[in-house]
Amino acid sequence: MSKSIKIQIIDLRINNIFSLFNSLKKIGYKNIEIINTSNKINCNLLFLPGVGSFYKASRLLKKNNFMLKIKNFVKNKNNKLFGICLGMQLLFEESTEFGDSTGLGLVRGKVIKFDRKLRVPHVGWAQVIKNKKNLKSFNLKKNGHFYFVHSYYCEPIDKNIIYTKTNYHNKIFCSSIKNENIFGTQFHPEKSGMNGLKVLESLKKLF
């Protein structure tokens, strides 16, 4: 099935997208393209990766007309959108970074900075815990560990879309979501070894 899945990765020049590209190749995806202009969106599975500033990334999305194109893309429920790290945060309505910064608004909720009492950024391996047993979108072990690097976390209004949670020094935060055909992981599956590869491979079952 992976041969018929056309994948595109949005390049905002704020992440090492080639680790994601190589991970997808490794697990058998054949048709993968990196794009940096919105008029090239033409795929079944669209990845929005990123690390760093929400404010800067949202400005780049607007400048390159990705906002409208991505919103139109997900209107077709046969299409799947997958945000990684900052890419997941950009799916939300707004971030508290630099006051308020506007995101795609595909998921209701905010992106909030960790309490200043916690060391930020949160970097390294951490456990993810499934929020709902009946969601089978990701091939996650019950207590799998994944790689994180972030200073902000997502707080969705609809708690039912939370797929996993993670504990960072007694702060429980949303570490992945599934909202119809929209997916997001705060962790980096492409940097999480075999556990991460299994998450990316499980997307084949959606097509």
Side-chain angles (χ1 to χ4, degrees):
M1 179 61 75
S2 59
K3 290 182 179 180
S4 62
I5 300 173
K6 184 175 181 180
I7 296 175
Q8 290 180 323
I9 303 170
I10 295 175
D11 181 12
L12 294 177
R13 295 183 174 86
I14 52 174
N15 195 14
N16 178 13
I17 58 173
F18 293 103
S19 58
L20 175 59
F21 181 92
N22 291 332
S23 293
L24 292 168
K25 282 283 188 182
K26 185 175 182 178
I27 54 179
Y29 292 101
K30 305 295 183 183
N31 193 352
I32 311 169
E33 181 184 13
I34 296 171
I35 61 171
N36 53 29
T37 57
S38 61
N39 59 5
K40 290 186 178 180
I41 293 180
N42 179 26
C43 61
N44 316 107
L45 176 56
L46 182 64
F47 281 92
L48 177 60
V51 170
S53 168
F54 186 105
Y55 176 75
K56 180 179 178 180
S58 65
R59 288 189 68 184
L60 288 170
L61 285 174
K62 292 172 186 175
K63 180 181 177 181
N64 295 300
N65 198 34
F66 273 113
M67 289 281 193
L68 180 60
K69 294 288 186 177
I70 292 173
K71 289 177 181 179
N72 287 335
F73 174 82
V74 297
K75 285 180 181 178
N76 182 344
K77 298 305 179 183
N78 293 319
N79 294 333
K80 315 299 178 188
L81 174 63
F82 198 115
I84 297 175
C85 194
L86 177 60
M88 169 174 157
Q89 295 177 5
L90 289 166
L91 302 175
F92 284 73
E93 294 172 301
E94 58 184 321
S95 169
T96 58
E97 184 183 15
F98 299 116
D100 285 318
S101 301
T102 305
L104 286 159
L106 297 172
V107 179
R108 294 184 64 213
K110 279 189 175 184
V111 179
I112 302 169
K113 190 170 185 176
F114 281 118
D115 191 287
R116 58 187 176 184
K117 294 178 183 178
L118 298 176
R119 180 182 294 178
V120 293
H122 168 214
V123 180
W125 294 80
Q127 186 181 76
V128 302
I129 303 168
K130 285 186 179 181
N131 190 39
K132 281 185 174 290
K133 294 180 180 179
N134 62 337
L135 291 177
K136 298 179 180 179
S137 302
F138 302 149
N139 185 11
L140 292 176
K141 289 184 177 179
K142 184 177 181 181
N143 296 311
H145 285 73
F146 294 82
Y147 185 78
F148 291 81
V149 52
H150 62 119
S151 299
Y152 289 75
Y153 64 94
C154 299
E155 194 168 88
I157 291 175
D158 182 1
K159 306 306 180 187
N160 291 318
I161 72 168
I162 296 175
Y163 186 68
T164 64
K165 296 180 180 180
T166 296
N167 185 348
Y168 180 49
H169 292 300
N170 296 320
K171 171 60 184 178
I172 308 295
F173 68 90
C174 166
S175 53
S176 68
I177 61 166
K178 177 189 180 295
N179 186 24
E180 296 184 342
N181 60 333
I182 299 170
F183 305 82
T185 58
Q186 185 63 67
F187 56 83
H188 288 267
E190 78 281 10
K191 297 179 181 179
S192 297
M194 188 56 66
N195 282 345
L197 292 179
K198 286 180 178 179
V199 169
L200 295 174
E201 189 171 28
S202 68
L203 297 174
K204 297 174 185 178
K205 299 176 183 178
L206 302 177
F207 295 93

